[in-house]
Amino acid sequence: MRREEHELLSGLAPGTPMGDLLRRYWTAAVLSRELEADGAPVRVTLLGEDLVAFRDSKGRVGLLDEHCAHRGASLYFGKNMNGGLSCWYHGWKYDVDGKCLDQPNEPPQTRFCDRVKHTAYPCIERNGVVWTYMGPPDKKPEMPALEWLTVPESHVFVSKRLQQCNWLQGMDGDIDGCHLGFLHGHVIEQVPDLNQFRSAKWLIRDLYPVFDPVTIPSGILLSTRRNAAEDTHYYRVNQWFLPGYTTIPLPGDGPQAGHSWVPRDRGQSWVFTFSWHPSRPLTDAERADFEEGKSAVHAELIPGTFVPSHNKANDYADPDAPPANQPWMRIKNFQDQDMSITESMGGLYDRTRESLGSTDKVLIQTRRRLMAAARSVQEGQDPPGLDPDSFRFRPYSAELPRSVTDWREAVGDAIETRPETYRNSV
Ligand code: FES
Ligand SMILES: [Fe+2]
């Protein structure tokens, strides 16, 4: 990758191509459960901007520039009560729209309050997440009709964690269908009965999968095909959606999974992980596993933080793992394996130093799509992926006869997000 392409992809600030592109979509900001009416404000950095989220007395959510419009004191120390957030320093008070409601240190006749507009981004709450739009107000799109946002809230669990690397560097792993047999291979090999769990067997036996990406307006439908039984192929179909959504096909007919990769700054990202079932509420047992970080996709967190318990400071080691003489042997959870390896590159790896091979072709496509979209915004055009209906796909995996030549035809409508089309055969 050329230096200027690396810099373009790494940009976040307003006025940079990627910064402007990312501000044309909705962004997952915080979890709804982080905010209580008249409770503590929450600091959150998004796209390199320091912000404060709060829930006012009426339950409405505001997302404001962290630094007070007066002289920059942090609104994290503000008083959240009586319908707004008041700066602790001199009492300037803001509502969820950034309107200045009060300036108790100014004589009333100055009416200075009317001339102050604090930066505030509009928010929507949906299925456990506060979403915000940080772009030009007249360009605000509808929310994408991702399945985890359109099913009832009872069907969804969402968690959040802080990842110590660039959002694209982390997201690359979800697009890289080739790594499964390597990075996750030693855990898959330990599955007690691989004949019962057939798909796992195919993942570790065929290390040269065939990728067949299909371009759609909102992103890519990606089929990864592996040799399975003598007369079958094992297909995994997942999606990448603009700008930072991925889906993960999980075997069986249980909940599926997806990520929203949100840039915190150039070297850190917020990872929102969604587990959802397309056609039924999650069970209490499923929810408990997700909450405790026992599933393959939700991290166990240090209590009171969004920092995973297994992290760089402890070599991501599972404390329950048997003693082992090499670090990788002690990293047992799929999610920890993905996080450890993408963080191991450093916060922002210099992409000019990569040597991309044939199995990186889908990753190359996503980067090209992002760069083209960013350039189109700079030229005054709308980016792709603003039509909410273009997100109506879900992940899928299945063993299909080798005679199948067109996977989309064979998969049929199973990847289209109507509840009645949900079927997962492996
Ligand atoms: S700095 Fe916030 S009111 Fe003065
Ligand atoms: Fe992985």
Side-chain angles (χ1 to χ4, degrees), residues 177-178 206-211 224-227 359:
C178 173
D206 185 352
L207 300 177
Y208 302 103
V210 176
F211 300 105
T224 307
R225 190 190 82 195
R226 287 179 167 82
N227 292 323
T359 58

Side-chain angles (χ1 to χ4, degrees), residues 1-2 4-9 16-18 20-21 367-384:
M1 169 164 278
R2 300 200 311 273
E4 57 268 32
E5 292 174 322
H6 169 72
E7 288 302 329
L8 190 157
L9 282 175
T16 64
M18 278 301 286
D20 287 349
L21 175 69
R367 293 177 179 182
R368 286 193 179 142
R369 292 282 298 279
L370 282 166
M371 288 191 286
R375 290 186 183 116
S376 73
V377 170
Q378 294 301 294
E379 288 160 7
Q381 295 163 25
D382 286 336

Side-chain angles (χ1 to χ4, degrees), residues 290-310:
F290 296 150
E291 269 163 24
E292 290 163 25
K294 287 188 186 148
S295 77
V297 291
H298 296 279
E300 181 189 306
L301 301 173
I302 296 173
T305 76
F306 294 103
V307 178
S309 322
H310 308 161

Side-chain angles (χ1 to χ4, degrees), residues 236-254:
R236 292 178 90 243
V237 179
N238 69 328
Q239 291 87 31
W240 165 70
F241 297 114
L242 282 154
Y245 299 106
T246 50
T247 61
I248 305 162
L250 295 176
D253 59 2

Side-chain angles (χ1 to χ4, degrees), residues 315-371:
D315 264 355
Y316 308 88
D318 184 334
D320 298 329
N325 63 1
Q326 296 184 34
W328 64 271
M329 296 173 178
R330 294 182 54 82
I331 307 176
K332 293 294 187 188
N333 183 288
F334 276 45
Q335 193 280 133
D336 293 340
Q337 292 166 351
D338 288 313
M339 189 177 70
S340 60
I341 211 68
T342 49
E343 287 187 359
S344 74
M345 300 160 189
L348 174 59
Y349 189 68
D350 180 354
R351 299 182 186 92
T352 66
R353 298 173 62 196
E354 292 176 334
S355 314
L356 300 184
S358 59
T359 58
D360 299 308
K361 79 173 185 182
V362 187
L363 184 151
I364 294 168
Q365 282 187 17
T366 59
R367 293 177 179 182
R368 286 193 179 142
R369 292 282 298 279
L370 282 166
M371 288 191 286

Side-chain angles (χ1 to χ4, degrees), residues 13-28:
T16 64
M18 278 301 286
D20 287 349
L21 175 69
L22 291 165
R23 284 170 178 76
R24 295 294 301 274
Y25 303 98
W26 285 90
T27 300

Side-chain angles (χ1 to χ4, degrees), residues 9-186:
L9 282 175
S10 309
L12 292 179
T16 64
M18 278 301 286
D20 287 349
L21 175 69
L22 291 165
R23 284 170 178 76
R24 295 294 301 274
Y25 303 98
W26 285 90
T27 300
V30 293
L31 297 175
S32 291
R33 58 182 182 266
E34 291 180 65
L35 303 174
E36 273 178 42
D38 284 346
V42 168
R43 277 197 191 105
V44 58
T45 300
L46 297 173
L47 313 186
E49 295 187 35
D50 293 331
L51 307 168
V52 159
F54 70 106
R55 192 185 294 280
D56 74 6
S57 316
K58 290 185 178 154
R60 297 176 304 181
V61 173
L63 187 64
L64 308 181
D65 182 337
E66 180 181 349
H67 299 288
C68 175
H70 180 215
R71 282 186 12 229
S74 173
L75 294 173
Y76 171 71
F77 295 111
K79 298 176 178 177
N80 180 22
M81 53 186 70
N82 302 324
L85 187 60
S86 302
C87 180
W88 193 23
Y89 206 177
H90 314 96
W92 288 23
K93 180 173 182 176
Y94 307 99
D95 71 5
V96 292
D97 299 319
K99 184 166 175 260
C100 184
L101 300 174
D102 195 10
Q103 282 175 328
N105 66 331
E106 285 282 327
Q109 62 273 22
T110 65
R111 302 200 56 79
F112 185 37
C113 205
D114 299 345
R115 284 178 280 140
V116 172
K117 171 75 174 79
H118 193 57
T119 299
Y121 295 120
C123 295
I124 288 180
E125 286 190 271
R126 193 159 299 167
N127 282 1
V129 174
V130 174
W131 301 82
T132 192
Y133 174 75
M134 299 168 70
D138 60 326
K139 305 277 191 195
K140 189 169 74 180
E142 286 180 54
M143 288 280 288
L146 291 156
E147 190 167 43
W148 65 72
L149 295 179
T150 54
V151 294
E153 193 162 355
S154 58
H155 295 33
V156 184
F157 175 84
V158 56
S159 68
K160 171 178 129 174
R161 66 184 160 84
L162 183 63
Q163 179 145 336
Q164 303 291 345
C165 72
N166 178 264
W167 68 288
L168 283 171
Q169 195 170 304
M171 189 175 79
D172 285 347
D174 288 349
I175 297 159
D176 167 18
C178 173
H179 77 272
L180 293 163
F182 300 96
L183 183 69
H184 307 301
H186 70 289

